Amino acid sequence: MPGDYDLVVVANRLPVDRVEEPDGSTSWRRSPGGLVTALEPVMKREDGAWVGWAGGAGDEAPEPFDAEGVRCVPIPLSEEEVEEYYEGFSNGTLWPLYHDVIVAPGYHRSWWEAYVRVNERFAEAAAVQAAQGATVWVQDYQLQLVPRMLRQRRPDLQIGFFNHIPFPPFEIFAQLPWRKAIIDGLLGADLVGFQRAADANNFARACRRASNLPARAGRIRLDAEGGREVRAASFPISIDFRALDELAQREDVKARAAEIRRDLGDPEHLLLGIDRLDYTKGILHRLKAFEELLDDGRVDVAEASLVQVATPSRERVEQYVQLRQDVEVTVGRINGTHSTIAHTAVHYLHHSYGREEMAALYLAADVMLVTALRDGMNLVAKEYVASRHDERGVLVLSEFTGAADELGGQALMVNPHDIDGLKDAVLRALRMPPREAGRRMRALRRRVGDHDVQRWAASFLEALAQHAPDPRGTAAEVAASAEASA
Ligand code: GDG
């Protein structure tokens, strides 16, 4: 029932996807992704509700429903709001701005107005669902105004926010015409979480510079609100290590990995990239390095092949259309020049795959290339590690990912802008002695295994509870006061 839920998650998307059944009816299937996995146990335990967009455009959303043990509350987005709030302000303004302006952000007032309006709608829905004193956890850059809007409606709530993408240095953030409103929106939360310590610091600095607020040691003091303190800290997200580890050990997945290698002509070395087709992921830089290694004759097409999975993404946003063209022209050129009848240099796959196939690909690859130009975390890097129960394989990892903070010691670190350095790292990975690769992979697996997504969710919620004590008091206090008033 509305008003009953002790934990409310607010995210742009619901944790389920709509499926059309053969008889024309609609059902809901859990969407792949770590967030759902991480939150499912707490959602069930705490009597949770999840507020999010169900996908699709229209003025009406489906009625709230239960799926996978979670109450789902769909939010409608009109056709125009999909264009202006989602494709526009979220993915055409904030996404490039927060990723070091790799492409130019668009600043359009109509996009901003739609962003404000849609954030209000999410905040209102969360306010209606949350029980007295409940915890509300708002996710990601599409909803940065929700914490403040929610606090205005429901000062009794404990409010947490987690930003999945980087928070940029103030010198870049300062471009945003609505920077003060965004800061104020986020400061409605009790705890604002980021992937890296550097993101939390950038945020605290933006509070000082844009809004003149005292911020020290990750605490921002709001004198205008009676000295209320907002905490900013890092909580690096992770994956469901155990589930992927188990999946990759299944006999059918291992057999599929071997089959993939056979089908690719049994190359001596298999390199792999898996990314959403996004300009932040450095796909073109990776292709350039591989092309030059083939051009230079340092790598032979009979010896090494690159499989690049580029999952379709944001296909109506202009820069993504351009990127797809650039990647496809580049792959065509590399293959035209270097492939032979027996061997293809680059296998480019513009599809999305099931979990089993993903695990088999990870298991088949000798070298995993993660060359993002900027990335909040990069879960692909951690998934590769979780899949390698055989302790083989080498991870080449960009220093501009959040994952680099944790895995930098054992992965081969690269600056993807330095093509010569990237080529050297790829060659080093291809030639790494198995003992060294094994030692590195063991250490990587220990790190990711100990810091899985369940631990991430628990540590965020624990920090939130500590920073903003339950306004209803502890269970014992509540019981005592109920007794006293009886
Ligand atoms: C954002 C931040 C941060 C990809 N293709 C397929 C597929 N995937 C899955 C991967 C992985 C996920 O999508 C991608 O996660 P990443 O972390 O690599 O990147 P973003 O999508 O940009 O995610 C990022 C993340 O949020 C979490 O906070 O790490 O920095 O940008 O799990 O496996 N999954 C399936 N088929 C595919 O074809 N099943």
Side-chain angles (χ1 to χ4, degrees):
M1 289 287 288
D4 271 357
Y5 299 98
D6 291 325
L7 175 62
V8 179
V9 170
V10 191
N12 179 55
R13 289 301 297 262
L14 282 174
V16 288
D17 293 321
R18 197 195 305 245
V19 194
E20 291 282 330
E21 299 293 349
D23 65 1
S25 65
T26 313
S27 66
W28 300 90
R29 191 186 312 133
R30 178 178 153 157
S31 36
L35 195 56
V36 196
T37 317
L39 296 178
E40 199 180 353
V42 260
M43 293 292 274
K44 285 184 178 159
R45 198 173 60 231
E46 299 274 333
D47 207 356
W50 189 306
V51 174
W53 176 38
D59 293 326
E60 298 282 319
E63 285 301 307
F65 58 92
D66 293 310
E68 313 280 348
V70 171
R71 184 69 172 166
C72 293
V73 182
I75 300 291
L77 292 183
S78 68
E79 187 70 55
E80 199 187 356
E81 285 165 348
V82 173
E83 276 171 35
E84 297 194 328
Y85 148 79
Y86 180 66
E87 294 169 344
F89 199 75
S90 296
N91 291 325
T93 306
L94 293 171
W95 180 268
L97 182 72
Y98 282 28
H99 288 89
D100 291 354
V101 293
I102 297 169
V103 306
Y107 300 115
H108 303 294
R109 283 162 286 186
S110 60
W111 289 3
W112 166 250
E113 283 154 20
Y115 186 79
V116 176
R117 198 167 62 243
V118 171
N119 271 244
E120 290 276 7
R121 192 173 306 148
F122 276 81
E124 181 59 31
V128 167
Q129 298 300 325
Q132 182 70 23
T135 298
V136 180
W137 191 0
V138 184
Q139 309 286 330
D140 227 357
Y141 65 104
Q142 302 94 348
L143 300 174
Q144 293 173 97
L145 304 178
V146 169
R148 171 67 65 197
M149 294 167 167
L150 201 50
R151 181 170 295 277
Q152 280 160 354
R153 289 168 167 81
R154 293 288 305 272
D156 59 297
L157 302 174
Q158 289 183 342
I159 304 171
F161 179 91
F162 185 76
N163 202 45
H164 290 254
I165 68 174
F167 196 89
F170 181 68
E171 287 67 19
I172 292 179
F173 182 68
Q175 286 185 16
L176 187 67
W178 306 280
R179 61 196 190 194
K180 277 179 86 160
I182 293 283
I183 299 271
D184 186 55
L186 291 169
L187 289 174
D190 296 294
L191 173 64
V192 186
F194 297 91
Q195 303 278 24
R196 303 172 309 155
D199 299 313
N201 290 338
N202 286 344
F203 173 67
R205 195 157 159 264
C207 292
R208 284 197 296 270
R209 297 285 307 273
S211 305
N212 212 9
L213 293 167
R216 206 165 296 124
R219 283 171 198 265
I220 299 112
R221 204 180 65 244
L222 303 173
D223 289 332
E225 294 177 55
R228 184 170 75 83
E229 276 194 343
V230 178
R231 190 175 162 219
S234 65
F235 298 86
I237 200 170
S238 193
I239 56 164
D240 188 351
F241 181 90
R242 268 229 313 269
L244 193 50
D245 185 30
E246 277 170 25
L247 180 62
Q249 295 198 43
R250 255 170 45 186
E251 288 308 320
D252 57 328
V253 172
K254 288 198 269 187
R256 175 65 189 143
E259 184 180 52
I260 289 173
R261 289 191 75 108
R262 267 200 312 281
D263 288 352
L264 294 173
D266 268 325
E268 199 179 321
H269 301 293
L270 188 61
L271 298 104
L272 176 66
I274 296 185
D275 316 81
R276 272 187 311 99
L277 187 47
D278 194 295
Y279 50 79
T280 59
K281 303 292 181 183
I283 299 170
L284 287 168
H285 295 64
R286 185 182 314 166
L287 289 172
K288 186 167 181 58
F290 189 59
E291 180 176 29
E292 286 194 13
L293 285 169
L294 291 165
D295 287 344
D296 302 344
R298 290 163 87 191
V299 165
D300 190 273
V301 70
E303 176 197 20
S305 274
L306 168 63
V307 171
Q308 176 64 56
V309 176
T311 312
S313 182
R314 306 177 189 169
E315 291 182 286
R316 301 199 315 179
V317 179
E318 184 193 325
Q319 293 103 342
Y320 290 75
V321 175
Q322 183 61 47
L323 174 70
R324 181 173 176 191
Q325 272 177 22
D326 294 346
V327 167
E328 292 181 354
V329 165
T330 306
V331 170
R333 187 181 62 232
I334 299 174
N335 283 339
T337 310
H338 293 286
S339 295
T340 62
I341 299 288
H343 300 284
T344 302
V346 181
H347 299 265
Y348 163 73
L349 304 157
H350 186 242
H351 310 291
S352 121
Y353 291 96
R355 287 174 67 234
E356 285 81 3
E357 187 73 355
M358 296 277 286
L361 281 164
Y362 288 134
L363 204 48
D366 304 299
V367 176
M368 184 78 215
L369 297 174
V370 176
T371 56
L373 307 178
R374 180 57 76 197
D375 214 331
M377 176 53 60
N378 196 290
L379 296 180
V380 164
K382 292 187 171 180
E383 288 167 2
Y384 181 62
V385 169
S387 306
R388 300 315 302 243
H389 51 82
D390 58 357
E391 297 178 352
R392 295 172 66 176
V394 181
L395 174 64
V396 173
L397 181 62
S398 161
E399 57 191 71
F400 303 119
T401 60
D405 281 17
E406 293 172 85
L407 310 182
Q410 302 301 332
L412 293 189
M413 299 303 291
V414 289
N415 167 4
H417 298 284
D418 170 11
I419 300 295
D420 285 336
L422 183 51
K423 287 161 67 183
D424 290 345
V426 170
L427 273 188
R428 190 170 163 212
L430 291 178
R431 316 249 185 273
M432 187 176 286
R435 276 184 63 155
E436 182 186 346
R439 184 172 48 71
R440 287 172 181 269
M441 186 52 80
R442 267 192 301 283
L444 289 169
R445 287 176 60 78
R446 262 199 307 278
R447 168 75 206 186
V448 183
D450 286 348
H451 294 80
D452 60 9
V453 73
Q454 288 82 359
R455 179 165 170 179
W456 167 80
S459 70
F460 183 93
L461 290 171
E462 211 175 283
L464 177 57
Q466 266 174 20
H467 183 70
D470 188 338
R472 295 165 297 190
T474 62
E477 284 164 5
V478 172
S481 81
E483 222 164 79
S485 61

